[in-house]
Amino acid sequence: MSMPFYVSPEQLMKDRADYARKGIARGRSVVVLQYDDGIAFATENASRALHKISEIYDRIAFAAVGKYNEFENLRVAGVRYADLRGYSYDREDVTARGLANAYAQTLGTVFTTESKPLEVELVVAEVGREPAGDQVYRLSYDGSVADEHGYVVMGGQADRLGGLLASGWRPGMSLREVLRLAVDVLGAPEDGGEARSIPAQQLEVAVLDRTRPRRTFRRLTGALLEDLLTPVDAGAPPAAAPHDD
């Protein structure tokens, strides 16, 4: 009778964490920034079908990096959670904090009990009526939750890009300013290389706009996004605000 192979719990958790981190590092980074009228999300994503940024509920959005099929399952579960809670109680009872706690339980359970952890990293954000009411939560593959303020970067280059954002972001920036900062950071050179200019067609950009009456999520595409990413010439009129007609 052969003896079972023994692996210490510490080594097992370390191996799972390393596996998850390597999977997440292969994904392109997602940048989340607060601005004067809401919260902006940006990532380099040429696909128009496989979204990394999505709406969850009236004032809540979801962004993710990692394996698409895994974080898409989490997104769908989050939508169902929000719909059920809003229907059973009240729409105001659906909060980013509650959703982040639910995701943390799922991620933590999978990490500790399953043979393979989820190769995902998430941001759940809720826009408040005022900037002080904004909530941004970052969730890791092991279920840990961080309450973020100002900006968040996820993905393989998170540490490097986070340092660039720290030097460029400030409270009260406009939507145009944060989007240009996000694109500059996403295209920043690595190891002495040249900075990349990312065209609007290669970007996935969305906002939670606090000035909208109920559903605050909106994707920015086409001419509006190109206009927002274009430097303003002296005396030129600003881009139209991202509102519905």
Side-chain angles (χ1 to χ4, degrees):
M1 180 177 177
S2 61
M3 295 295 292
F5 184 73
Y6 174 76
V7 179
S8 68
E10 293 83 358
Q11 185 63 44
L12 183 61
M13 293 298 105
K14 181 181 182 300
D15 290 345
R16 289 177 179 176
D18 290 342
Y19 179 87
R21 281 194 291 263
K22 289 178 181 177
I24 294 168
R26 288 192 288 268
R28 294 186 181 274
S29 296
V30 175
V31 178
V32 183
L33 306 102
Q34 293 176 262
Y35 68 100
D36 54 358
D37 285 332
I39 303 172
F41 306 77
T43 184
E44 190 175 355
N45 184 9
S47 174
R48 290 295 171 263
L50 307 180
H51 294 301
K52 300 169 72 173
I53 304 165
S54 300
E55 180 184 27
I56 293 290
Y57 210 59
D58 294 346
R59 309 183 70 83
I60 302 174
F62 168 100
V65 294
K67 293 194 70 173
Y68 175 80
N69 65 308
E70 293 182 349
F71 68 68
E72 177 64 11
N73 286 335
L74 292 171
R75 183 194 68 83
V76 172
V79 172
R80 290 172 176 166
Y81 165 90
D83 283 343
L84 179 60
R85 188 167 184 82
Y87 178 78
S88 301
Y89 300 98
D90 186 84
R91 301 188 77 87
E92 295 295 327
D93 291 327
V94 182
T95 65
R97 182 180 291 107
L99 185 60
N101 287 336
Y103 278 144
Q105 294 177 29
T106 299
L107 290 167
T109 299
V110 172
F111 182 77
T112 56
T113 63
E114 301 295 333
S115 59
K116 188 191 86 66
L118 296 178
E119 300 169 60
V120 298
E121 193 169 7
L122 315 177
V123 160
V124 178
E126 178 179 358
V127 66
R129 308 293 179 183
E130 301 293 337
D134 292 348
Q135 300 178 38
V136 181
Y137 299 100
R138 178 179 181 175
L139 294 101
S140 298
Y141 53 86
D142 59 356
S144 60
V145 184
D147 185 4
E148 304 285 355
H149 300 280
Y151 57 87
V152 184
V153 188
M154 302 183 295
Q157 303 296 321
D159 292 339
R160 182 176 65 87
L161 300 186
L164 297 175
L165 279 181
S167 62
W169 183 89
R170 67 183 187 280
M173 295 178 73
S174 68
L175 176 59
R176 178 187 291 274
E177 290 172 330
V178 296
L179 290 183
R180 290 190 61 195
L181 173 62
V183 174
D184 289 345
V185 167
L186 290 172
E190 182 179 1
D191 297 331
E194 295 185 359
R196 295 184 300 119
S197 177
I198 307 175
Q201 296 80 7
Q202 299 294 318
L203 293 167
E204 181 181 356
V205 178
V207 295
L208 289 172
D209 183 354
R210 80 176 83 256
T211 64
R212 300 184 74 185
R214 182 172 140 181
R215 295 184 63 181
T216 61
F217 183 87
R218 183 178 180 186
R219 296 190 183 277
L220 304 182
T221 59
L224 175 58
L225 179 57
E226 292 179 0
D227 192 15
L228 287 167
L229 296 177
T230 302
V232 179
D233 296 329
H243 301 300
D244 291 333
D245 295 334

